[in-house]
Amino acid sequence: FEFPRTMSRIVVSERQRGNPVLKYIRNVPWEFEKNVVPDYVVGARACAAFISIRYHLLKPQYLERRLAEVASGEWRLRVLLCLVDMDDHVKPLHALNLLAIKYDCTLVLAHSAREAARLLECFKAYENNSGSAIKEKIDKDYLSRLTDVLTTVKPINRTDVVTLARTFGSFRDVVNADLDQLRDCPGLGDKKVKNLYDAFNKPFSLAASRRREEKKRKRDQEELLQQQAEAIEAELAAILDDS
């Protein structure tokens, strides 16, 4: 089956006949095609493989075989569209995510057949749109960029950003500020100060956090031993002076 450079419809594999998702695809035309490898072709170089968690648990080898077949084609976008139809879905989704990574697919979840249909319609409707269509518009001035960064730390708001900018003058000084300096900023409560400080100083991983805590514990222990040694030396010096 040769795919034209532009298509006005979703091409559906015959193996998807009977899938309840199809009855909800109403805003974009679609049709069955026998000689198509993916379950859905939503663009000249975009496709989707469909799986439900329940079906994956019944036939765990099916999906990997299908993804291997899809991976052999020259697709720019491969979507693994998963219908979450079970409450106990954490472990199955972990396995599906690993398969998606292995076969260079984007895992997208739908919690109903209707939602899965809407996702397919969106893939088709926006196939020629660039990422800028959904990208947040951010002004290029310094304060706007600073606001965009710092407000990702909850619950820092725009007013807090203005206060931080006036107090420290630059993003670098905000990052390097200690807790006392942050507490001196008007309007920043203990929660905001802690969250902001942790965002720039707390390790990203638990392992790194444990290593940092271990280094701090050893450093504190060495300082304590040093203080004890100095105290003993001072006592010995005092005894010798008395004698």
Side-chain angles (χ1 to χ4, degrees):
F1 178 73
E2 294 292 334
F3 295 109
R5 192 173 185 83
T6 59
M7 298 187 303
S8 60
R9 68 195 187 284
I10 296 176
V11 177
V12 183
S13 170
E14 283 284 352
R15 64 175 59 87
Q16 289 297 298
R17 192 177 292 275
N19 190 331
V21 171
L22 296 176
K23 67 180 180 181
Y24 294 110
I25 302 178
R26 299 166 181 168
N27 299 313
V28 176
W30 60 272
E31 67 179 18
F32 286 113
E33 174 62 42
K34 293 181 179 180
N35 302 320
V36 58
V37 176
D39 295 326
Y40 300 92
V41 177
V42 293
R45 289 293 179 264
C47 68
F50 179 85
I51 193 70
S52 71
I53 291 181
R54 194 179 300 275
Y55 190 87
H56 178 65
L57 293 177
L58 289 174
K59 297 185 177 181
Q61 305 302 320
Y62 167 80
L63 181 61
E64 183 162 14
R65 176 176 58 82
R66 292 286 298 118
L67 292 181
E69 294 172 351
V70 173
S72 63
E74 296 181 359
W75 303 102
R76 181 174 56 85
L77 173 65
R78 302 180 186 92
V79 174
L80 174 55
L81 180 58
C82 174
L83 177 62
V84 182
D85 55 354
M86 293 183 64
D87 293 332
D88 187 13
H89 55 257
V90 176
K91 288 185 177 180
L93 283 179
H94 178 72
L96 292 176
N97 196 32
L98 292 178
L99 285 175
I101 294 172
K102 180 178 179 180
Y103 291 99
D104 193 22
C105 295
T106 300
L107 178 61
V108 178
L109 306 182
H111 291 81
S112 67
R114 186 187 298 274
E115 184 180 6
R118 293 294 174 267
L119 289 169
L120 290 171
E121 290 176 346
C122 286
F123 286 131
K124 180 59 190 172
Y126 294 103
E127 65 171 314
N128 295 318
N129 288 40
S130 65
S132 60
I134 59 174
K135 187 177 180 180
E136 182 183 3
K137 300 296 186 295
I138 302 173
D139 294 332
K140 295 183 178 181
D141 63 282
Y142 180 77
L143 183 59
S144 297
R145 290 176 177 269
L146 185 65
T147 301
D148 183 60
V149 173
L150 293 181
T151 51
T152 59
V153 180
K154 304 303 180 185
I156 300 295
N157 55 42
R158 293 177 180 272
T159 303
D160 298 327
V161 175
V162 174
T163 301
L164 289 167
R166 288 175 178 172
T167 303
F168 295 101
S170 69
F171 177 69
R172 175 181 293 180
D173 290 338
V174 174
V175 172
N176 294 328
D178 58 32
L179 284 170
D180 291 334
Q181 290 174 316
L182 292 173
R183 289 193 184 101
D184 290 339
C185 292
L188 265 66
D190 291 339
K191 183 177 180 181
K192 291 182 179 180
V193 168
K194 181 181 182 303
N195 289 357
L196 188 60
Y197 182 82
D198 287 347
F200 300 124
N201 294 276
K202 193 173 182 180
F204 287 113
S205 69
L206 292 176
S209 180
R210 285 193 292 267
R211 287 195 298 270
R212 176 175 290 190
E213 291 175 357
E214 181 63 20
K215 288 181 180 179
K216 184 178 183 303
R217 186 186 65 79
K218 289 182 178 180
R219 185 170 60 251
D220 292 343
Q221 189 176 27
E222 290 174 356
E223 291 177 356
L224 178 61
L225 291 174
Q226 181 66 26
Q227 292 173 0
Q228 291 175 344
E230 292 175 353
I232 293 173
E233 289 179 358
E235 291 178 2
L236 288 174
I239 292 173
L240 291 175
D241 290 343
D242 292 341
S243 62

